[in-house]
């Protein structure tokens, strides 16, 4: 039985990856950090199948212990401060958890299990103010946020450990990927949750930032398959994972609101609070290498993704409303 250690297992990607690995018969170890209210929402359904290990990305001793306990064949380093907008007000925490912590994880693996295969969750945000379109593995980086800068460090330290210590370390340069498990602060989920609340009469407007930015949005369930495929190759390498299609935030709004029969223009309020100090205007990935070398393919397209997220948010908001009504009665 193969053994995998996942950091960030309670997050969007970690939960889909844990499901995938469990379905393949892996023994899955998940790093869980101490928080005032543990966040099991995404993994409630598989919580009992995960071997939980306490640890924090910032605490090298706990990571060494996590690798010792799990004795993994594969390590997926998904944990991070993952929200771009939060990286301006918290640039140092972002640097610690999204950049330097990658070295903590690599060191833990190098010291305890140097033959384990290592996956680093890198990001298209590293391309930032893009110097070519579409972006591929050879495109030069130009990050535009403390998050993008931190991810760039994580990417290069992963490449460096591969070249310095001959570790099987891969960096997946993933473009935006979403799902009903995406955090509510990210634009797709903010929109689909807003659509559900407006449709159900619980909210009358949605306050938004830049509607012109363009993103290459895919489905997280498809993207975790690419992570796994990278670690099944004979040689470690870096891969772009994307859909090769881009849509504006305005198109996202149109797709989500029209699905429930509403016109988004009647509900959107532009709010400077959601405009960023520096913007990434467009991201569009070319994942030819992943398709050819990994045999990776996309199953869910943009429209299906948005509709799936609206459907799930409608269900969730309805059941929450019923719950509060019951509590009041
Ligand atoms: P999420 O924000 O959903 O999950 C982040 C995870 O990191 C959570 O499990 C969180 O735990 C954990 N975490 C945060 N800080 C620490 C810490 N100090 N110690 C231990 N665990 C910690 O992110 P996603 O699942 O969306 O993304 C996964 C990875 O992929 C991230 O590194 C992200 O930056 C990267 N990425 C994501 C993209 C996307 O579009 N989703 C695109 C490209 C890269 P807790 O539940 O306790 O908060
Ligand atoms: P990112 O690409 O990792 O920053 O993912 P986000 O989902 O946070 O943002 C995607 C794009 O949507 C960015 O260009 C944001 O500026 C834009 N955007 C516009 N309005 C909003 C908003 O209200 N919230 C968020 N999160 N993003 C917004």
């Amino acid at each position: 039985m193969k053994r995998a250690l996942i950091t960030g297992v309670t997050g969007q990607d970690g939960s889909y990856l844990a499901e995938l690995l469990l379905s393949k018969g892996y023994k899955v170890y998940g790093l869980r950090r101490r928080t005032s209210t543990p966040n099991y929402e995404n993994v409630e359904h598989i919580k009992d199948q995960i071997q939980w290990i306490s640890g924090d990305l910032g605490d090298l001793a706990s990571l060494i212990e996590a690798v010792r306990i799990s004795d993994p064949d594969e390590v997926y380093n998904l944990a991070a401060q993952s929200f771009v907008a939060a990286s301006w007000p918290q640039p140092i925490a972002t640097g610690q958890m999204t950049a330097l912590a990658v070295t903590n994880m690599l060191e833990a693996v190098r010291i305890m299990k140097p033959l384990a295969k290592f996956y680093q969750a890198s990001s298209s945000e590293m391309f930032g103010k893009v110097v070519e379109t579409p972006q591929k593995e050879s495109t030069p980086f130009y990050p535009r946020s403390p998050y993008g800068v931190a991810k760039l460090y994580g990417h290069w330290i992963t490449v460096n450990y591969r070249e310095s210590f001959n570790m099987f370390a891969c960096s997946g340069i993933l473009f935006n990927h979403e799902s009903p498990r995406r955090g509510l602060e990210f634009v797709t989920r903010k929109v689909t949750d807003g659509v559900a609340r407006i449709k159900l009469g619980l909210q009358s407007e949605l306050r938004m930032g830049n509607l012109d930015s363009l993103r290459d949005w895919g489905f997280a369930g498809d993207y975790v398959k690419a992570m796994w495929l990278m670690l099944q190759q004979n040689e470690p390498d870096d891969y772009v994972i994307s859909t090769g299609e881009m849509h504006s935030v305005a198109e996202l709004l149109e797709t989500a609101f029209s699905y429930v029969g509403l016109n988004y223009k009647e509900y959107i309020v532009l709010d400077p609070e959601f405009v960023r100090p520096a913007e990434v205007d467009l991201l569009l990935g070319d994942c030819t290498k992943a398709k050819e070398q990994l045999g990776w393919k996309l199953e869910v397209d943009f429209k299906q993704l948005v509709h799936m997220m609206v459907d799930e948010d409608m269900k969730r908001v309805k059941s929450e409303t019923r719950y509060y009504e019951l509590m009041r009665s």
Side-chain angles (χ1 to χ4, degrees), residues 24-37:
K24 291 182 183 298
Y26 279 60
K27 187 157 190 178
V28 174
Y29 291 82
L31 192 80
R32 168 177 56 185
R33 66 172 161 162
R34 157 85 187 119
T35 49
S36 50
T37 312

Side-chain angles (χ1 to χ4, degrees), residues 7-15 31-35 39-40 42 55-58 77-83 97-98 119-125 147 151 172-178 181-183 185-186 220 227:
T7 73
V9 71
T10 52
Q12 171 187 255
D13 291 6
S15 64
L31 192 80
R32 168 177 56 185
R33 66 172 161 162
R34 157 85 187 119
T35 49
N39 162 29
Y40 293 125
N42 291 329
D56 192 290
L57 279 190
N77 187 37
L78 309 185
Q81 190 300 93
S82 65
F83 187 38
M97 295 311 159
T98 305
Y119 173 85
Q120 168 58 19
S122 292
S123 165
S124 55
E125 285 291 321
Y147 171 85
K151 279 287 177 191
I173 306 173
L174 272 52
F175 282 61
N176 297 53
H177 45 279
E178 320 293 316
R181 299 181 198 168
R182 185 64 142 149
E185 67 276 36
F186 293 89
M227 298 176 186

Side-chain angles (χ1 to χ4, degrees), residues 82-85 123 125 147 176 178 182 185-188 190 207-211 213-215 217 249 274-276 279-281 283:
S82 65
F83 187 38
V84 171
S123 165
E125 285 291 321
Y147 171 85
N176 297 53
E178 320 293 316
R182 185 64 142 149
E185 67 276 36
F186 293 89
V187 75
T188 51
K190 178 173 171 176
R207 304 187 85 81
M208 301 285 302
N210 175 14
L211 305 190
S213 67
L214 295 150
R215 287 291 181 278
W217 279 295
V249 175
F274 298 107
V275 175
R276 296 171 180 187
E279 180 61 286
V280 171
D281 295 327
L283 289 172

Side-chain angles (χ1 to χ4, degrees), residues 172-302:
I173 306 173
L174 272 52
F175 282 61
N176 297 53
H177 45 279
E178 320 293 316
S179 74
R181 299 181 198 168
R182 185 64 142 149
L184 281 163
E185 67 276 36
F186 293 89
V187 75
T188 51
R189 192 70 202 294
K190 178 173 171 176
V191 168
T192 60
D193 175 72
V195 163
R197 286 175 193 284
I198 290 170
K199 183 69 185 173
L200 296 169
L202 301 169
Q203 192 172 307
S204 57
E205 62 179 34
L206 189 58
R207 304 187 85 81
M208 301 285 302
N210 175 14
L211 305 190
D212 296 326
S213 67
L214 295 150
R215 287 291 181 278
D216 179 331
W217 279 295
F219 172 50
D222 287 341
Y223 284 39
V224 298
K225 293 179 187 156
M227 298 176 186
W228 176 78
L229 282 167
M230 286 179 214
L231 299 199
Q232 310 316 306
Q233 305 306 302
N234 292 330
E235 297 296 331
D237 206 345
D238 308 322
Y239 298 88
V240 159
I241 301 297
S242 62
T243 70
E245 239 184 60
M246 67 182 172
H247 299 272
S248 64
V249 175
E251 276 176 87
L252 163 70
L253 288 164
E254 213 303 294
T255 309
F257 276 80
S258 64
Y259 183 52
V260 297
L262 299 176
N263 177 358
Y264 80 89
K265 291 187 178 150
E266 292 171 20
Y267 302 97
I268 297 307
V269 177
L270 296 179
D271 185 336
E273 192 194 323
F274 298 107
V275 175
R276 296 171 180 187
E279 180 61 286
V280 171
D281 295 327
L282 79 90
L283 289 172
L284 177 67
D286 173 356
C287 65
T288 307
K289 178 174 168 184
K291 282 185 180 154
E292 288 177 356
Q293 293 185 23
L294 303 178
W296 177 74
K297 60 179 190 312
L298 208 63
E299 282 169 30
V300 177
D301 69 18
F302 174 71

Side-chain angles (χ1 to χ4, degrees), residues 84 87-88 123-131 139-156 277-281 283:
V84 171
S87 74
W88 281 283
S123 165
S124 55
E125 285 291 321
M126 302 188 304
F127 296 122
K129 191 171 180 199
V130 298
V131 301
T139 301
F141 299 116
Y142 190 152
R144 288 277 276 175
S145 61
Y147 171 85
V149 173
K151 279 287 177 191
L152 195 50
Y153 173 93
H155 170 74
W156 281 120
E279 180 61 286
V280 171
D281 295 327
L283 289 172

